Amino acid sequence: MESKKTSYRSKRPKIIPLKMDANFFFEKAMQSLDRYRYDKALKYFQRAVEYEPRNPINHCNMAGIYSEIGNYERSNEILFQIIDDIDPAMTECHFYMANNYANMEAFEEAEQALLRYLEKDPRGAFLEECEEMIEMLSYELERPIEIPHIKSREVFFEHDKARGFMEEGKFAEAVQLLKEITEKHPQFLAAYNNLALAYFYLDQMDLCMGAIEQVLAVEEGNVHALCNLAIVYKQQGEQEKLQQLLQLLRRTIPFHQEHVFKLAMTLGLLDEHRTAYLHFRRLMHSGEFAEDPCLHHYFAVASFHMNQYDQAKRYWEKARQLDTNSAVPSFYLSHFDMLCEEGKRKANAPVSYQYYLPFEERLREWGQKDSHLPADLIEDAILHSSLTWALQHGDESTKLQMIQIIGMLGGAEAEGMLRDCLKREDETDRVRQAAVYMLQSIGAKEPYLTRMDGKEVYVYATSSSELPEWKTQWQAVIDLATDAMRDRYDQCQKHDMQTLWKEFLGRVHPNVPTIQKPEGWAAALEYLTAQMHSSTITYTELSRRYGVTAPTIRRHVGKIDEICGLKEKMSNVFSPFQEQ
């Protein structure tokens, strides 16, 4: 009997004790949030508070749930408790209270909470959001909001201007302006975060990390800075650091929707699709971004990665309805069968969170530093199809980019695609101009057949002002300008520069000025090209880059402008088209 008893005990399964702590209940709360079970999530957060009553984050999560379900009064009670009893330094609670009061339409109380936040938090983590709330409260109260002892609105204007530079890809200009802002307003953390991004896009990683560290030294939980840091870790291959940071980001539940958006996008880019999906779904249910086509695209991509293909199609269709000018939703809908195999996601299907076509992301990764596209890009059927499709169906900006990429393909196929582009009668002059320039660049034989006003027309890439010969010193000017403009201008802008130079030479011939220092003329061409395309550039900057004096550049600019009459015909000069 004894031996049987021993044998029976040996077969009993081992019982692993369940560790009931704040982290356990936090995870349970997150699971409940995933299912929109706010009642259960609230109970679990309450249990987390019982285990860690002095942890303000647990209390803040409870306040966030109450706000989510519309119980703004209870949310504010908890936020007051945090400020009064737990952590007075958690000044963002005042901002959260202002949001709650605004949702309750208690606009006077919202104003007071907002002013308390601005007075107590000179670091300005929510300054951008405060500016939006100030405008809203001013409208609702029908009077201006008096804001003492904080930054003037000039800093907001300058910051918006810097963000505009970044959206246009003018990262060097953004860095210069953001550095000025941070020097004048070192507490403006939003400017540091955007400065970090600008450095990132310029591939200046040390400076990028420095800007991120400055933010985290002031506010270690800054969502934007942590998200930027995660992207940098991925870029630099710091897998161990990235995984540690991801553990934190997976557990983060931002209170403010702008932070939810930033976190969701970052997690998506880091292939954390499940968590990104949950955050995007939360935003979709909020109503604030209901008419944002980008968010519909992001949620469609997250749904696609979660194998919810019908839902992905619905949201791409909605994005297409909201943004009729974008080729992105239409591309994914028209190529959906190429992205899936037998009801499953195709391996390595290029479905990107970024709101542009699939090949564009690959090109950004590649860097466009060589003269030819990588072989794997050319051979990828989906990416190649997206490139061809965009040249036919994209907007003008997209088509101009496609022409530049097709030129990198080279060969007979590229020439055929460009010639087909010219034959489409509904193309804009600018697209035709770019196609002609690219055909010339790849050595395609002139003339080039196009259709305009229902007629077939032969066009040439050369200037209407023919020159009897082409001198090496003239070409040296083009070569210098092209090299200096390589990473700052697109192909069409460089084409405009060359056309301007040819027109100038043709008009002054045979009395062409002696080209003793081609750098000065090249700098003048870049200055005028920037002016034609409404870009900001200074003589001082050009002087530094080309190694000539500012007065020399200014003198050459005046000469070219005088001969070519740019001021009178800045908008639509330089058309290369002429009938044969």
Side-chain angles (χ1 to χ4, degrees), residues 145-205:
I145 306 298
E146 297 296 332
I147 308 174
H149 311 305
I150 64 167
K151 301 174 182 62
S152 68
R153 294 199 176 193
E154 179 184 355
V155 68
F156 294 108
F157 172 78
E158 293 296 317
H159 190 234
D160 282 341
K161 184 178 179 181
R163 288 193 300 177
F165 281 146
M166 293 179 66
E167 290 171 0
E168 297 170 10
K170 300 176 181 178
F171 302 115
E173 291 92 334
V175 164
Q176 182 177 355
L177 183 52
L178 289 166
K179 285 174 66 177
E180 293 174 3
I181 293 172
T182 53
E183 288 170 3
K184 295 178 182 176
H185 308 275
Q187 70 275 37
F188 195 5
L189 299 187
Y192 277 108
N193 280 325
N194 281 319
L195 181 59
L197 284 176
Y199 281 136
F200 178 85
Y201 290 122
L202 290 171
D203 199 27
Q204 299 179 10
M205 291 302 175

Side-chain angles (χ1 to χ4, degrees), residues 315-368:
Y315 280 92
W316 269 318
E317 182 60 47
K318 181 65 174 176
R320 180 164 64 179
Q321 295 171 11
L322 292 170
D323 188 1
T324 56
N325 294 322
S326 174
V328 175
S330 296
F331 169 79
Y332 281 110
L333 288 168
S334 62
H335 288 72
F336 202 88
D337 291 340
M338 293 183 68
L339 302 171
C340 298
E341 289 181 332
E342 299 178 356
K344 295 182 180 180
R345 177 174 178 266
K346 187 176 182 180
N348 300 320
V351 180
S352 169
Y353 285 93
Q354 301 284 14
Y355 196 51
Y356 42 63
L357 297 171
F359 63 86
E360 295 180 86
E361 183 176 16
R362 292 286 303 280
L363 289 171
R364 282 172 170 78
E365 294 174 357
W366 168 53
Q368 302 188 35

Side-chain angles (χ1 to χ4, degrees), residues 79 84 97 186 296 396 419 508 556 564:
L79 293 170
D84 293 339
M97 282 187 262
H296 285 76
E396 182 181 75
R419 288 187 183 274
V508 298
H556 292 332
C564 296

